[in-house]
DNA sequence: CTATATAGACAACCACGTTGTCGAGAGTAA
DNA sequence: TTACTCTCGACAACGTGGTTGTCTATATAG
């Protein structure tokens, strides 16, 4: 029988797996017309969503303050991925929405993620990959769409 | 037959798995006498290692500049986890070494990681967990001891 | 002895998070 | 209508952790 690996290997492998996928995604995004996107930008735009949102709500979704969310919005607005328009029903609010370029980057990202997953399936076999996904779902029962990752690591 | 999940779920699950382990580790570390440690501190002390190192070498291991490494050293020195002493063989160098408290935190972390892995094994079964580890090794062939994670996410 | 390379300290700056404050607008109750 | 309260977004100040650039002291090679 084989002995168990040390427990500290598992989290590092999980992180490496995540990193390798995200790095490959952004290498491919750069090749297909989005060289300026950073990993955090994908999380922000995913949190904005097709329906748009506001700075306060975006902050809630990302798990940061509205001020931090506003800075992300400003960055992505200047880069051409988001627009801000006045809400006709509430003069306090500014509606943040994806531009065509923003939507394109999300569509492209979904497509590239599928391609990367196919690469893992080719290496591991479809059944082993599905087993890994099932097992990860079992130990991380939350909604995978939560995007409050940024800023979590460094902490206070 | 079941259909494949979207490719974007896999990286999010990997990140969630990593996060859940690291969060559980630090909750337990806090309970066992190390409430001030942050995730990044574990990476730094792991990079310092039992043999000690210097600021320049630490920066190399973490993938950051020597100045950034020096700031981590100063933080952890003030917190009582590291000491800096003059190198008797080279008056330019300051040897950075773990204190007893620093070593204790690493020993404790290794122990807690083993306990967390046992928890996953209880949920998934030993064979499934080993399969996941094997598969992660197969798709992330690098040395898992690399600890250059901090600062990678936000990018430029 | 001299030239070059390295270690670490220091300053300035930037990115991204925080808290605190503020004015404008919306909602509600007297 | 008026007054009170809440919400949204803007702005300033600050902390942390990263960067580049510069400087001094010390090793090391020629």
């Amino acid at each position: 029988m084989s002995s168990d690996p040390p427990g500290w290997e598992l989290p590092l492998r999980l992180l490496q797996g995540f990193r390798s996928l995200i790095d490959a995604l952004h290498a491919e995004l750069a090749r297909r017309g989005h060289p300026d996107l950073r990993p955090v930008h994908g999380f922000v735009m995913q949190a904005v969503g097709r329906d748009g949102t506001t700075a306060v709500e975006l902050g809630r979704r990302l798990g940061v303050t509205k001020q931090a969310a506003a800075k992300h919005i400003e960055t992505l607005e200047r880069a051409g991925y988001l627009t801000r328009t006045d809400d006709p029903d509430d003069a306090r609010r500014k509606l943040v929405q994806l531009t065509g370029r923003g939507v394109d980057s999300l569509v492209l990202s979904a497509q590239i993620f599928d391609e990367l997953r196919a690469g893992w399936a080719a290496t591991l076999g479809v059944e082993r990959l599905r087993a890994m996904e099932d097992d990860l779902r079992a130990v991380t029962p939350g909604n995978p769409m939560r995007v409050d990752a940024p800023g979590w690591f460094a902490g206070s």
Side-chain angles (χ1 to χ4, degrees), chain A residues 96-113:
Chain A
V96 177
Q97 286 178 303
L98 295 168
T99 63
R101 182 169 174 77
V103 172
D104 178 65
S105 74
L106 287 187
V107 171
L108 213 49
S109 293
Q111 180 181 335
I112 294 167
F113 273 135

Side-chain angles (χ1 to χ4, degrees), chain A residues 6-8 29 45-46 52-53 55 57 70 77 79-81 83 86 91 99 109 114-115 131 134-135 139 153 156:
Chain A
W8 49 259
L29 278 175
M45 286 192 284
Q46 201 69 48
T53 183
E57 177 57 26
E77 187 183 19
Y81 288 93
T83 55
D86 292 337
T99 63
S109 293
D114 285 341
E115 295 167 9
D134 289 342
D135 289 346
V139 292
F153 191 80
S156 70

Side-chain angles (χ1 to χ4, degrees), chain A residues 15-34:
Chain A
L15 178 60
Q16 277 192 288
F18 173 73
R19 285 194 52 168
S20 70
L21 289 174
I22 297 295
D23 285 342
L25 167 72
H26 284 274
E28 194 60 26
L29 278 175
R31 212 171 301 129
R32 303 196 201 174
H34 297 279

Side-chain angles (χ1 to χ4, degrees), chain A residues 132-153:
Chain A
M132 182 191 291
E133 288 170 333
D134 289 342
D135 289 346
L136 285 173
R137 253 177 242 122
V139 292
T140 62
N143 173 7
M145 283 301 293
R146 279 187 61 204
V147 283
D148 56 354
W152 158 79
F153 191 80

Side-chain angles (χ1 to χ4, degrees), chain A residues 116-138:
Chain A
L116 293 171
R117 185 184 182 280
W120 281 34
T123 301
L124 304 177
V126 173
E127 289 311 315
R128 291 286 290 250
L129 178 57
R130 284 183 183 168
M132 182 191 291
E133 288 170 333
D134 289 342
D135 289 346
L136 285 173
R137 253 177 242 122

Side-chain angles (χ1 to χ4, degrees), chain A residues 6-105:
Chain A
W8 49 259
E9 181 178 352
L10 183 56
L12 291 177
R13 293 290 182 191
L14 292 168
L15 178 60
Q16 277 192 288
F18 173 73
R19 285 194 52 168
S20 70
L21 289 174
I22 297 295
D23 285 342
L25 167 72
H26 284 274
E28 194 60 26
L29 278 175
R31 212 171 301 129
R32 303 196 201 174
H34 297 279
D36 296 334
L37 282 182
R38 299 276 91 214
V40 67
H41 297 154
F43 281 78
V44 173
M45 286 192 284
Q46 201 69 48
V48 171
R50 300 301 183 90
D51 296 333
T53 183
T54 66
V56 168
E57 177 57 26
L58 180 61
R60 245 179 246 133
R61 295 180 188 173
L62 293 173
V64 300
T65 60
K66 59 181 180 179
Q67 290 88 339
K71 292 184 186 182
H72 281 299
I73 291 169
E74 195 197 343
T75 299
L76 285 172
E77 187 183 19
R78 264 185 290 132
Y81 288 93
L82 297 177
T83 55
R84 287 190 323 163
T85 55
D86 292 337
D87 185 333
D89 297 335
D90 187 337
R92 295 170 305 177
R93 290 152 52 97
K94 299 278 183 68
L95 281 185
V96 177
Q97 286 178 303
L98 295 168
T99 63
R101 182 169 174 77
V103 172
D104 178 65
S105 74

